[in-house]
Amino acid sequence: MTMADAHDPFAHLHDENYADGFAAGAATASTLVQSGGRVVESLDGPWRLTLDLFDEGLRQKWYAEDDMPPSQWATPRDYEIAAGDLVPVPSCWNLLKPEWTHFEGAAWYTRDVDWVPAKPGERVMLQIGGANYALLAFLNGGFVGGHRGGSTPCSLDLTQALRPGRNRLQIMVENRRRADRVPMHHIDWFNYGGLYREIGLMRLPGLFIRQVAVALAPGSDRQAIAARVTLSEARDASATLRIPELGIETRIAIEAGQGIVEIPACPALWSPDDPRLYEVEIVCGEDVWRDRIGFREIRTEGTEILLNGRSILLAGVCVHEDDAARGKTSTEADIRRRFRHARELGANFLRLAHYPHHELVARIADEEGLLLWAEVPVYWAIDFGNPETYADAENQLLELVARDINRASVIIWGVGNENADTDARYRFMADLAARARQADPTRLIAAACLINRERFAIEDRLADHLDIIGINEYFGWYEPDVANLERLVANSAPDKPVIISETGADALLGHRGAGRVLFSEDWQAEFYRLQMVVVSRTPWIRGIAAWLLYDFRSERRQTGFQRGFNRKGLIADDKSSKKMAFDVLAELYRRYR
Ligand code: GCU
């Protein structure tokens, strides 16, 4: 028994509301602090980790315990920080010990933080790049905030709780799959858990710049730049926007923490051929926010997608964050390899499936001139009628937008994938699309939509709320007859651009066979030949995203060909062995674009 409750040491055995009271401290999109080029003091490295299948940590308040050695314990305990494993952060616990591979539950990360205050009145934010799925953070035994959403960042204010000298930071991360979550409990990827992206402390002045959005002003015919600044508090202030290479220096009046300015400007436009980025700086009081931003316009006209006024075709590939050694933890080298392979494939476009990927992905795509579809995991049978589920989905979307709003490479926000057509789904996703448009009027909104099976035509009432209709189709794989793709095209007359947001076939590296031999490299290659015949001659299909670049882990897949992997990669899970289809598609893409 711990010291949980001096009066009744057994109270925690009867309290199933042990998690109540933490929801209030949830970090959301509105509290997120963009990095903005500001220094983050890294807390990556070794942390103590204790798995907690039964939520004992919250039941018995492990966060409130002192870390006295066992020799000094007055009563027995069930938790001892030093008994935890020393693990690297960022990482996924599933890949640290074989017995943790399939662990789904809570886990307690602990490390000391030695703090030296710099300036009086400074604020200190704990910046967490990503933790799957939900987290609660405690500093020196006190709750400092929580977050839900397995792929978006959060900022927790440690200013009040942090003290000079040694501090103890504990973060409980929990990755249970649940029907009311986003994604829900049934997914075709691996449910990694842990503090799997970078974590650090950001020092800020008392009043600081929380979020900034800078882009070509919508409706300005690419002749003006608009900037929106959000401060940490609803106070009046003044800020300065500088874009030295454009000779821009202008004042932004801020009222109640919000400031907007629009200035005439003719920047060289960002595009895949010329991914031009500008240094942009916003100064407000003592705080300086900086970023490198590309200016481009993306819109649709009829069934065309126009980048800077010119019609484009998207030759793309989908990617997951999944690595044999690191799981969902992405490194810069890993991201650059993904882009190198995409380039070799002749792709100018990537769909980041099915959740927000690491912040670096869009930053590097900005430099490299790749176009991105970024989405939130509103995947399959989401609990669409549940307002809490909607709030979670909307917040993940707004966090993604807040984080990547200045990334020229991101041209599409995806609000969902393959969701059955119910009224609840229609309402949920239409609201999400409207919310995305409101938060960011400069990008296109899409979703992987449905086919009307009776009429065998592209038809989804959700499309009325979208700019782009995504269609996942597997004619030639799940549906054996490729000719049905032609039939679908013949029966459809969309008035918006369509992107084949997924298509592909499984192939086990080295498995061969003539004709339609399932899981053979030959059939995967032939599959793409047959697909591209139809795609390249259908004027309203303006892009395709092959499913997908690499084989990836999925516990749904258990044949001898699959063994826990989805094998639709054009490259095997070793991230280097190309299958036949890779070169076939590369050749087709060179002709397509
Ligand atoms: C679906 C789904 C993917 C999945 C793919 C497949 O379309 O969106 O997440 O992995 O099909 O079956 O391989």
Side-chain angles (χ1 to χ4, degrees):
M1 292 306 129
T2 67
M3 316 214 313
D5 180 292
H7 310 297
D8 173 3
F10 308 107
H12 65 275
L13 299 181
H14 313 301
D15 170 17
E16 282 309 305
N17 305 318
Y18 57 84
D20 294 0
F22 292 116
T28 63
S30 61
T31 59
L32 182 67
V33 182
Q34 290 173 336
S35 41
R38 292 167 287 193
V39 175
V40 173
E41 296 165 38
S42 177
L43 294 176
D44 295 347
W47 289 59
R48 288 278 173 200
L49 179 65
T50 299
L51 299 195
D52 178 11
L53 193 58
F54 294 96
D55 281 347
E56 280 312 313
L58 294 179
R59 294 171 189 277
Q60 298 187 42
K61 301 184 177 53
W62 288 352
Y63 51 88
E65 286 184 6
D66 57 44
D67 45 12
M68 273 204 291
S71 56
Q72 293 172 30
W73 295 351
T75 55
R77 298 184 178 187
D78 292 332
Y79 177 60
E80 181 189 357
I81 294 171
D85 290 85
L86 215 47
V87 301
V89 165
S91 66
C92 302
W93 60 60
N94 317 77
L95 299 173
L96 300 176
K97 291 172 93 169
E99 60 270 34
W100 292 356
T101 304
H102 293 107
F103 181 76
E104 294 185 331
W108 288 80
Y109 290 84
T110 305
R111 66 158 287 166
D112 290 335
V113 175
D114 294 323
W115 186 247
V116 181
K119 291 192 190 129
E122 71 182 350
R123 304 273 296 272
V124 185
M125 288 293 160
L126 178 64
Q127 300 285 91
I128 304 177
N132 194 40
Y133 183 88
L135 68 89
L136 298 175
F138 303 84
L139 190 64
N140 304 321
F143 177 55
V144 287
H147 180 252
R148 64 177 176 185
S151 303
T152 46
C154 68
S155 306
L156 303 180
D157 193 341
L158 301 189
T159 311
Q160 302 311 319
L162 202 57
R163 58 186 182 221
R166 172 120 324 164
N167 295 263
R168 186 178 77 197
L169 178 59
Q170 285 172 293
I171 302 181
M172 190 280 291
V173 179
E174 176 263 292
N175 75 331
R176 293 193 179 92
R177 286 174 297 111
R178 290 187 351 204
D180 64 344
R181 285 187 160 172
V182 182
M184 42 83 74
H185 53 214
H186 185 213
I187 52 176
D188 191 35
W189 64 87
F190 194 92
N191 183 38
Y192 293 105
L195 276 176
Y196 70 91
R197 289 191 186 140
E198 293 73 15
I199 179 167
L201 297 173
M202 189 193 271
R203 294 174 198 256
L204 293 157
L207 178 69
F208 60 87
I209 299 166
R210 192 179 288 284
Q211 295 172 13
V212 170
V214 184
L216 287 178
S220 72
D221 200 18
R222 307 188 291 275
Q223 304 297 313
I225 286 174
R228 187 184 66 221
V229 177
T230 305
L231 298 186
S232 51
E233 278 158 54
R235 277 168 48 183
D236 297 353
S238 169
T240 305
L241 165 68
R242 290 197 191 97
I243 311 180
E245 293 150 283
L246 294 173
I248 289 175
E249 173 149 351
T250 188
R251 184 176 167 277
I252 307 174
I254 297 185
E255 282 165 30
Q258 297 281 340
I260 293 179
V261 71
E262 190 169 313
I263 33 192
C266 280
L269 298 176
W270 182 97
S271 71
D273 303 333
D274 179 16
R276 176 69 188 271
L277 300 176
Y278 287 86
E279 294 293 338
V280 175
E281 187 181 87
I282 307 250
V283 180
C284 181
E286 295 169 64
D287 198 17
V288 182
W289 179 100
R290 286 194 186 88
D291 206 340
R292 298 178 67 226
I293 296 178
F295 296 99
R296 57 96 185 96
E297 178 200 63
I298 187 80
R299 61 187 175 86
T300 63
E301 209 169 86
T303 58
E304 308 262 329
I305 301 174
L306 304 180
L307 176 66
N308 301 330
R310 282 186 38 222
S311 182
I312 55 168
L313 282 173
L314 301 173
V317 67
C318 301
V319 283
H320 260 299
E321 286 190 320
D322 188 78
D323 183 81
R326 284 179 298 277
K328 206 172 156 41
T329 298
S330 289
T331 62
E332 179 166 347
D334 201 21
I335 295 165
R336 290 191 185 279
R337 173 181 46 199
R338 268 174 236 167
F339 288 165
R340 200 171 56 249
H341 282 143
R343 281 250 186 267
E344 285 171 24
L345 187 65
N348 60 357
F349 171 63
L350 290 98
R351 179 183 172 193
L352 309 179
H354 288 292
Y355 37 77
H357 284 210
H358 193 289
E359 181 173 359
L360 262 184
V361 170
R363 286 189 177 281
I364 299 172
D366 274 10
E367 294 163 15
E368 300 232 348
L370 285 163
L371 300 164
L372 302 178
W373 163 320
E375 66 186 79
V376 285
V378 176
Y379 184 88
W380 289 349
I382 291 285
D383 189 1
F384 288 114
N386 182 337
E388 259 314 297
T389 302
Y390 178 80
D392 188 358
E394 185 188 82
N395 184 58
Q396 291 186 39
L397 174 71
L398 296 177
E399 284 173 342
L400 170 61
V401 172
R403 187 195 71 181
D404 292 353
I405 195 151
N406 296 309
R407 306 279 71 82
S409 54
V410 179
I411 57 168
I412 298 170
W413 301 123
V415 295
N417 183 77
E418 293 185 353
N419 319 99
D421 186 24
T422 64
D423 290 348
R425 171 256 190 181
Y426 175 67
R427 197 58 284 136
F428 185 113
M429 293 179 72
D431 289 351
L432 216 48
R435 199 65 189 83
R437 217 179 286 291
Q438 186 193 23
D440 176 16
T442 70
R443 286 183 176 81
L444 306 174
I445 313 297
C449 296
L450 303 169
I451 292 170
N452 174 326
R453 291 276 157 187
E454 275 78 49
R455 282 196 344 96
F456 213 81
I458 294 176
E459 198 183 287
D460 187 332
R461 53 181 165 162
L462 179 66
D464 298 342
H465 301 267
L466 306 174
D467 303 299
I468 287 184
I469 300 169
I471 290 289
N472 296 355
E473 53 82 11
Y474 287 87
F475 297 115
W477 183 249
Y478 292 125
E479 301 181 73
D481 194 351
V482 181
N484 278 329
L485 179 57
E486 308 219 35
R487 196 170 136 228
L488 179 76
V489 165
N491 292 348
S492 306
D495 58 359
K496 294 177 178 177
V498 168
I499 292 179
I500 302 294
S501 39
E502 280 182 35
T503 191
D506 281 71
L508 177 62
L509 185 73
H511 184 56
R512 304 293 308 272
R516 191 169 178 275
V517 174
L518 296 182
F519 295 97
S520 69
E521 288 193 45
D522 310 73
W523 181 248
Q524 186 189 43
E526 182 60 14
F527 173 95
Y528 280 111
R529 283 192 199 95
L530 296 169
Q531 286 277 333
M532 286 306 290
V533 170
V534 181
V535 168
S536 50
R537 70 167 180 233
T538 307
W540 41 263
I541 295 181
R542 303 311 291 173
I544 173 172
W547 188 263
L548 72 169
L549 192 53
Y550 306 114
D551 291 355
F552 65 98
R553 282 194 184 85
S554 169
E555 291 303 317
R556 297 179 63 240
R557 314 289 177 166
Q558 295 300 344
T559 68
F561 299 107
Q562 298 162 313
R563 300 206 178 286
F565 281 80
N566 183 312
R567 298 281 181 203
K568 292 191 183 67
L570 295 160
I571 299 175
D573 59 289
D574 63 5
K575 297 266 170 53
S576 60
S577 309
K578 291 183 177 126
K579 302 174 191 176
M580 290 168 61
F582 187 96
D583 293 336
V584 167
L585 189 56
E587 183 45 40
L588 292 165
Y589 273 3
R590 255 179 281 288
R591 282 189 250 144
Y592 176 56
R593 283 177 48 194

